[in-house]
Amino acid sequence: MEMELTGRQILVTGGAGFLGKQVIRQLQQAGASPDAIAVTRSRETDLRRLSACQQAVQGQDIVIHLAAHVGGIGLNREKPAELFYDNLMMGTQLIHAAYEAGVKKFVCVGTICAYPKFTPVPFKEDDLWNGYPEETNAPYGIAKKALLVQLQAYRQQYGFDGIYLLPVNLYGPEDNFDPRSSHVIPALIRKVHEAQMRGDKSLPVWGDGSPTREFLYSEDAARGIVMATQSYSEPDPVNLGTGYEISIRDLVSLICDLMGFDGEIVWQTDQPNGQPRRCLDTQRAKRAFDFTAETDFRQGLKNTIEWYRRNAVPQLA
Protein backbone atom coordinates (compact mmCIF):
# COMPACT_ATOMS: atom_id res chain seq x y z
CA MET A 1 0.00 0.00 0.00
CA GLU A 2 1.64 3.21 -1.19
CA MET A 3 1.83 5.93 1.48
CA GLU A 4 1.10 9.36 0.07
CA LEU A 5 3.39 12.04 1.52
CA THR A 6 1.36 15.05 0.41
CA GLY A 7 -0.51 16.50 3.37
CA ARG A 8 1.35 14.36 5.94
CA GLN A 9 3.04 15.76 9.02
CA ILE A 10 6.56 14.30 9.07
CA LEU A 11 9.17 14.37 11.85
CA VAL A 12 12.80 13.80 10.85
CA THR A 13 15.00 13.34 13.92
CA GLY A 14 18.53 14.39 13.10
CA GLY A 15 17.08 16.30 10.17
CA ALA A 16 19.70 19.04 10.40
CA GLY A 17 22.50 16.51 9.91
CA PHE A 18 24.43 15.20 6.97
CA LEU A 19 21.87 12.55 5.93
CA GLY A 20 18.88 14.43 7.33
CA LYS A 21 19.26 17.37 4.94
CA GLN A 22 19.24 14.96 2.00
CA VAL A 23 16.19 13.10 3.35
CA ILE A 24 14.28 16.37 3.66
CA ARG A 25 15.14 17.28 0.04
CA GLN A 26 13.97 13.85 -1.13
CA LEU A 27 10.75 14.08 0.93
CA GLN A 28 9.94 17.40 -0.73
CA GLN A 29 10.64 15.96 -4.17
CA ALA A 30 8.26 13.11 -3.33
CA GLY A 31 5.45 15.54 -2.51
CA ALA A 32 5.85 16.47 1.16
CA SER A 33 5.20 20.11 1.99
CA PRO A 34 8.23 21.96 3.44
CA ASP A 35 5.90 23.40 6.11
CA ALA A 36 4.84 19.89 7.17
CA ILE A 37 8.37 18.63 7.93
CA ALA A 38 9.57 19.03 11.51
CA VAL A 39 13.20 18.55 12.55
CA THR A 40 14.74 17.83 15.95
CA ARG A 41 18.19 19.16 16.81
CA SER A 42 20.15 17.58 19.65
CA ARG A 43 21.01 20.92 21.29
CA GLU A 44 17.29 21.78 21.57
CA THR A 45 15.63 18.37 21.99
CA ASP A 46 17.25 15.68 24.13
CA LEU A 47 15.67 12.50 22.78
CA ARG A 48 17.19 10.54 25.66
CA ARG A 49 14.34 12.01 27.73
CA LEU A 50 10.90 10.43 27.29
CA SER A 51 9.14 13.78 27.71
CA ALA A 52 11.16 15.23 24.80
CA CYS A 53 10.22 12.25 22.62
CA GLN A 54 6.54 12.62 23.53
CA GLN A 55 6.61 16.30 22.67
CA ALA A 56 8.44 15.70 19.37
CA VAL A 57 5.95 13.13 18.01
CA GLN A 58 2.74 15.00 18.86
CA GLY A 59 0.62 15.53 15.75
CA GLN A 60 3.02 13.65 13.46
CA ASP A 61 1.88 11.11 10.85
CA ILE A 62 5.35 9.80 9.98
CA VAL A 63 8.55 9.65 12.04
CA ILE A 64 11.90 9.06 10.30
CA HIS A 65 14.47 8.39 13.01
CA LEU A 66 17.96 9.35 11.83
CA ALA A 67 19.31 10.90 15.03
CA ALA A 68 22.25 8.97 16.44
CA HIS A 69 25.34 9.40 18.58
CA VAL A 70 27.82 7.95 16.11
CA GLY A 71 31.42 8.05 14.94
CA GLY A 72 34.35 6.03 13.68
CA ILE A 73 36.57 3.46 15.41
CA GLY A 74 38.19 6.10 17.64
CA LEU A 75 34.90 7.29 19.16
CA ASN A 76 33.65 3.71 19.53
CA ARG A 77 36.75 2.80 21.53
CA GLU A 78 36.64 5.97 23.63
CA LYS A 79 32.92 6.14 24.49
CA PRO A 80 31.27 2.69 24.19
CA ALA A 81 28.98 3.29 27.18
CA GLU A 82 27.68 6.61 25.86
CA LEU A 83 27.12 5.15 22.39
CA PHE A 84 25.13 2.24 23.84
CA TYR A 85 23.03 4.29 26.27
CA ASP A 86 22.35 7.31 24.07
CA ASN A 87 21.27 5.34 21.00
CA LEU A 88 19.18 2.82 22.92
CA MET A 89 17.36 5.46 24.97
CA MET A 90 16.72 7.77 22.01
CA GLY A 91 15.33 5.02 19.84
CA THR A 92 13.32 2.95 22.28
CA GLN A 93 11.56 5.93 23.86
CA LEU A 94 10.86 7.56 20.51
CA ILE A 95 9.29 4.36 19.17
CA HIS A 96 7.13 4.01 22.28
CA ALA A 97 6.08 7.67 22.21
CA ALA A 98 5.25 7.42 18.49
CA TYR A 99 3.08 4.34 19.09
CA GLU A 100 1.24 6.03 21.97
CA ALA A 101 0.71 9.20 19.91
CA GLY A 102 -0.87 7.26 17.02
CA VAL A 103 1.92 7.87 14.49
CA LYS A 104 1.02 5.99 11.29
CA LYS A 105 4.54 5.07 10.12
CA PHE A 106 7.87 4.82 11.91
CA VAL A 107 11.02 4.52 9.83
CA CYS A 108 14.07 3.50 11.85
CA VAL A 109 17.49 3.85 10.25
CA GLY A 110 19.81 1.27 11.80
CA THR A 111 23.47 0.55 11.20
CA ILE A 112 25.71 -1.85 9.34
CA CYS A 113 27.61 -2.21 12.65
CA ALA A 114 24.75 -4.44 13.82
CA TYR A 115 25.96 -7.34 11.64
CA PRO A 116 28.09 -10.10 13.18
CA LYS A 117 31.88 -9.66 12.90
CA PHE A 118 32.20 -12.66 10.59
CA THR A 119 29.16 -12.43 8.33
CA PRO A 120 29.24 -14.22 4.95
CA VAL A 121 29.77 -11.63 2.21
CA PRO A 122 27.61 -10.14 0.82
CA PHE A 123 25.68 -9.55 4.06
CA LYS A 124 22.11 -10.86 3.87
CA GLU A 125 19.50 -9.48 6.24
CA ASP A 126 18.73 -13.02 7.47
CA ASP A 127 22.30 -13.26 8.89
CA LEU A 128 21.81 -10.30 11.24
CA TRP A 129 21.54 -12.47 14.37
CA ASN A 130 24.17 -15.11 13.52
CA GLY A 131 26.91 -13.84 15.84
CA TYR A 132 28.31 -10.97 17.90
CA PRO A 133 29.23 -7.68 16.14
CA GLU A 134 32.82 -6.53 15.65
CA GLU A 135 34.02 -5.65 19.16
CA THR A 136 34.98 -2.00 18.64
CA ASN A 137 31.47 -0.99 17.55
CA ALA A 138 29.35 -3.69 19.23
CA PRO A 139 27.78 -1.41 21.90
CA TYR A 140 26.54 0.98 19.22
CA GLY A 141 25.49 -1.81 16.86
CA ILE A 142 23.58 -3.77 19.51
CA ALA A 143 21.78 -0.66 20.80
CA LYS A 144 20.54 0.06 17.28
CA LYS A 145 19.68 -3.59 16.61
CA ALA A 146 17.49 -3.67 19.74
CA LEU A 147 15.23 -1.14 17.99
CA LEU A 148 14.51 -3.71 15.27
CA VAL A 149 13.31 -6.15 17.95
CA GLN A 150 11.14 -3.42 19.46
CA LEU A 151 9.55 -2.50 16.13
CA GLN A 152 8.81 -6.14 15.33
CA ALA A 153 7.29 -6.64 18.80
CA TYR A 154 5.14 -3.51 18.50
CA ARG A 155 3.98 -4.63 15.05
CA GLN A 156 3.06 -8.06 16.42
CA GLN A 157 1.25 -6.83 19.54
CA TYR A 158 -0.12 -3.44 18.49
CA GLY A 159 -0.15 -3.51 14.66
CA PHE A 160 2.30 -0.57 14.69
CA ASP A 161 3.76 0.07 11.24
CA GLY A 162 7.48 0.38 11.92
CA ILE A 163 10.19 -0.48 9.38
CA TYR A 164 13.94 -0.91 9.83
CA LEU A 165 16.58 0.01 7.26
CA LEU A 166 20.28 -0.91 7.29
CA PRO A 167 22.31 1.57 5.25
CA VAL A 168 25.95 0.76 4.62
CA ASN A 169 28.67 3.37 5.41
CA LEU A 170 27.53 6.74 4.05
CA TYR A 171 29.59 9.52 2.50
CA GLY A 172 29.00 12.71 0.56
CA PRO A 173 29.00 16.53 0.75
CA GLU A 174 28.23 17.97 4.21
CA ASP A 175 29.64 14.89 5.96
CA ASN A 176 31.24 15.14 9.42
CA PHE A 177 34.93 15.94 8.95
CA ASP A 178 35.80 16.26 12.66
CA PRO A 179 38.80 13.92 13.17
CA ARG A 180 37.56 12.92 16.65
CA SER A 181 34.29 11.43 15.39
CA SER A 182 34.34 11.14 11.57
CA HIS A 183 34.05 7.97 9.53
CA VAL A 184 36.71 6.70 7.17
CA ILE A 185 36.09 8.71 3.96
CA PRO A 186 35.80 12.20 5.52
CA ALA A 187 38.65 11.34 7.91
CA LEU A 188 40.91 10.40 4.99
CA ILE A 189 39.93 13.43 2.90
CA ARG A 190 40.77 15.78 5.76
CA LYS A 191 43.98 13.90 6.57
CA VAL A 192 45.20 14.14 2.95
CA HIS A 193 44.24 17.81 2.71
CA GLU A 194 46.09 18.70 5.90
CA ALA A 195 49.15 16.70 4.80
CA GLN A 196 49.15 18.71 1.56
CA MET A 197 48.82 22.00 3.47
CA ARG A 198 51.86 21.08 5.57
CA GLY A 199 53.83 19.70 2.63
CA ASP A 200 54.12 16.24 4.22
CA LYS A 201 55.74 13.49 2.17
CA SER A 202 53.96 10.64 3.97
CA LEU A 203 50.45 9.83 5.21
CA PRO A 204 49.85 7.67 8.31
CA VAL A 205 46.70 5.54 8.10
CA TRP A 206 45.23 3.24 10.79
CA GLY A 207 45.35 -0.53 10.28
CA ASP A 208 46.95 -2.50 7.47
CA GLY A 209 44.62 -1.59 4.59
CA SER A 210 43.20 -5.09 4.22
CA PRO A 211 39.57 -4.59 5.40
CA THR A 212 36.94 -3.98 2.76
CA ARG A 213 34.05 -1.56 2.92
CA GLU A 214 31.06 -0.56 0.86
CA PHE A 215 29.98 3.06 0.67
CA LEU A 216 26.62 4.60 -0.19
CA TYR A 217 26.34 8.20 -1.38
CA SER A 218 24.13 10.20 0.99
CA GLU A 219 21.74 11.31 -1.75
CA ASP A 220 21.18 7.68 -2.77
CA ALA A 221 20.63 6.67 0.87
CA ALA A 222 18.07 9.44 1.35
CA ARG A 223 16.21 8.40 -1.79
CA GLY A 224 16.12 4.80 -0.53
CA ILE A 225 14.79 5.90 2.87
CA VAL A 226 11.99 7.94 1.28
CA MET A 227 11.09 5.13 -1.16
CA ALA A 228 10.85 2.72 1.79
CA THR A 229 8.73 5.23 3.75
CA GLN A 230 6.27 5.31 0.86
CA SER A 231 6.27 1.69 -0.26
CA TYR A 232 7.54 -0.72 2.43
CA SER A 233 5.54 -1.98 5.43
CA GLU A 234 7.03 -5.32 6.43
CA PRO A 235 8.72 -6.45 9.68
CA ASP A 236 11.91 -7.67 7.97
CA PRO A 237 14.96 -5.34 7.97
CA VAL A 238 16.22 -4.08 4.60
CA ASN A 239 19.80 -3.33 3.51
CA LEU A 240 20.50 -0.12 1.60
CA GLY A 241 23.76 -0.27 -0.32
CA THR A 242 25.48 -0.55 -3.67
CA GLY A 243 26.95 -4.06 -3.57
CA TYR A 244 30.35 -2.55 -4.51
CA GLU A 245 33.21 -3.59 -2.19
CA ILE A 246 36.57 -1.78 -1.97
CA SER A 247 39.58 -2.37 0.29
CA ILE A 248 40.78 0.42 2.56
CA ARG A 249 44.14 0.19 0.75
CA ASP A 250 42.46 0.87 -2.61
CA LEU A 251 40.24 3.56 -1.09
CA VAL A 252 43.28 5.45 0.26
CA SER A 253 44.97 5.21 -3.15
CA LEU A 254 41.85 6.50 -4.90
CA ILE A 255 41.42 9.47 -2.54
CA CYS A 256 45.13 10.35 -2.85
CA ASP A 257 44.81 10.14 -6.64
CA LEU A 258 41.70 12.36 -6.76
CA MET A 259 43.32 14.91 -4.40
CA GLY A 260 46.73 14.88 -6.11
CA PHE A 261 48.73 13.56 -3.15
CA ASP A 262 51.68 11.37 -4.14
CA GLY A 263 53.38 10.84 -0.76
CA GLU A 264 54.04 7.49 0.90
CA ILE A 265 51.22 5.70 2.75
CA VAL A 266 52.42 4.52 6.19
CA TRP A 267 50.17 1.75 7.58
CA GLN A 268 49.87 1.92 11.37
CA THR A 269 49.43 -1.78 12.00
CA ASP A 270 49.30 -1.31 15.79
CA GLN A 271 45.92 0.42 15.30
CA PRO A 272 42.64 -1.50 14.78
CA ASN A 273 41.33 -2.56 11.39
CA GLY A 274 37.67 -2.82 12.41
CA GLN A 275 35.40 -5.40 10.77
CA PRO A 276 37.30 -7.52 8.18
CA ARG A 277 34.79 -7.18 5.32
CA ARG A 278 31.61 -5.28 4.66
CA CYS A 279 29.48 -5.62 1.58
CA LEU A 280 25.71 -5.88 1.41
CA ASP A 281 23.28 -8.04 -0.48
CA THR A 282 20.90 -5.42 -1.89
CA GLN A 283 18.29 -7.70 -3.48
CA ARG A 284 15.57 -7.19 -0.86
CA ALA A 285 15.49 -3.39 -1.36
CA LYS A 286 15.27 -3.90 -5.12
CA ARG A 287 12.42 -6.40 -4.78
CA ALA A 288 10.52 -4.63 -2.01
CA PHE A 289 10.54 -1.01 -3.21
CA ASP A 290 12.66 -0.96 -6.37
CA PHE A 291 15.65 0.84 -4.85
CA THR A 292 19.00 0.80 -6.64
CA ALA A 293 21.93 3.13 -5.88
CA GLU A 294 22.80 5.38 -8.84
CA THR A 295 25.91 7.43 -7.96
CA ASP A 296 29.25 6.27 -9.37
CA PHE A 297 31.72 5.89 -6.47
CA ARG A 298 34.54 7.88 -8.08
CA GLN A 299 32.15 10.72 -8.93
CA GLY A 300 30.67 10.67 -5.42
CA LEU A 301 34.17 10.96 -3.94
CA LYS A 302 34.96 13.87 -6.27
CA ASN A 303 31.79 15.68 -5.15
CA THR A 304 32.69 15.12 -1.50
CA ILE A 305 36.27 16.31 -1.92
CA GLU A 306 35.11 19.42 -3.81
CA TRP A 307 32.58 20.25 -1.09
CA TYR A 308 35.23 19.86 1.61
CA ARG A 309 37.74 22.08 -0.16
CA ARG A 310 35.08 24.76 -0.71
CA ASN A 311 33.57 24.70 2.75
CA ALA A 312 36.09 23.47 5.30
CA VAL A 313 38.92 25.44 6.81
CA PRO A 314 40.58 22.79 8.94
CA GLN A 315 42.55 23.91 11.96
CA LEU A 316 46.04 22.60 11.42
CA ALA A 317 47.85 21.12 14.41
Side-chain angles (χ1 to χ4, degrees):
M1 180 89 174
E2 188 79 8
M3 176 169 262
E4 184 63 51
L5 298 182
T6 307
R8 300 281 191 183
Q9 295 295 316
I10 304 170
L11 171 68
V12 183
T13 71
F18 157 57
L19 177 59
K21 289 174 185 172
Q22 293 286 355
V23 167
I24 287 168
R25 286 178 199 132
Q26 296 288 333
L27 284 168
Q28 291 174 4
Q29 285 182 24
S33 164
D35 299 338
I37 300 172
V39 169
T40 62
R41 290 176 172 82
S42 57
R43 62 178 178 272
E44 297 157 8
T45 306
D46 186 351
L47 294 175
R48 296 171 301 179
R49 299 166 62 94
L50 179 59
S51 57
C53 293
Q54 290 168 330
Q55 196 173 349
V57 299
Q58 282 307 311
Q60 302 298 331
D61 299 309
I62 299 167
V63 174
I64 300 176
H65 180 42
L66 307 177
H69 186 176
V70 62
I73 291 178
L75 188 72
N76 278 279
R77 285 204 306 181
E78 185 189 343
K79 298 186 173 179
E82 285 182 33
L83 291 173
F84 179 82
Y85 180 84
D86 291 356
N87 288 293
L88 184 67
M89 297 311 288
M90 279 194 286
T92 198
Q93 295 186 127
L94 194 69
I95 290 168
H96 188 71
Y99 154 67
E100 287 194 317
V103 167
K104 295 176 178 63
K105 182 77 168 266
F106 193 102
V107 181
C108 187
V109 176
T111 172
I112 196 73
C113 300
Y115 273 100
K117 180 174 183 175
F118 298 106
T119 306
V121 176
F123 295 7
K124 291 183 166 63
E125 293 93 344
D126 294 343
D127 289 328
L128 197 57
W129 295 100
N130 293 345
Y132 196 74
E134 200 279 321
E135 293 80 3
T136 52
N137 51 39
Y140 171 68
I142 288 171
K144 296 290 274 187
K145 190 154 60 165
L147 306 181
L148 168 62
V149 178
Q150 183 179 5
L151 288 171
Q152 290 173 332
Y154 277 49
R155 179 183 290 274
Q156 183 182 339
Q157 186 172 344
Y158 306 133
F160 185 60
D161 186 8
I163 64 171
Y164 190 89
L165 306 174
L166 286 155
V168 78
N169 298 53
L170 303 180
Y171 75 103
E174 301 180 276
D175 205 341
N176 168 27
F177 289 86
D178 182 335
R180 292 165 300 183
S181 56
S182 58
H183 285 101
V184 61
I185 286 178
L188 286 170
I189 290 171
R190 177 167 176 154
K191 188 174 269 202
V192 171
H193 179 80
E194 293 186 354
Q196 289 175 313
M197 293 292 97
R198 289 190 297 259
D200 294 353
K201 300 298 182 207
S202 64
L203 187 78
V205 182
W206 275 20
D208 62 14
S210 66
T212 65
R213 292 292 180 265
E214 173 184 345
F215 298 98
L216 181 62
Y217 195 57
S218 55
E219 189 177 317
D220 282 333
R223 191 168 46 81
I225 289 165
V226 172
M227 289 170 77
T229 302
Q230 293 174 288
S231 307
Y232 187 67
S233 292
E234 300 297 324
D236 298 324
V238 184
N239 289 335
L240 295 180
T242 62
Y244 171 68
E245 187 179 13
I246 185 171
S247 72
I248 297 298
R249 187 174 292 275
D250 289 344
L251 173 66
V252 171
S253 296
L254 180 54
I255 288 174
C256 287
D257 179 46
L258 290 173
M259 295 183 73
F261 179 79
D262 55 6
E264 181 193 1
I265 309 302
V266 179
W267 295 102
Q268 298 178 303
T269 54
D270 58 328
Q271 297 290 353
N273 270 329
Q275 194 162 16
R277 288 182 72 187
R278 277 189 195 160
C279 186
L280 297 184
D281 183 302
T282 58
Q283 293 305 304
R284 185 175 285 174
K286 176 68 179 162
R287 283 196 311 271
F289 46 92
D290 202 29
F291 171 73
T292 308
E294 293 173 353
T295 307
D296 171 74
F297 185 51
R298 190 181 179 94
Q299 185 59 51
L301 280 178
K302 275 183 167 172
N303 297 348
T304 309
I305 291 163
E306 284 169 16
W307 183 89
Y308 178 72
R309 283 180 162 159
R310 275 199 317 272
N311 293 277
V313 185
Q315 300 300 306
L316 297 186

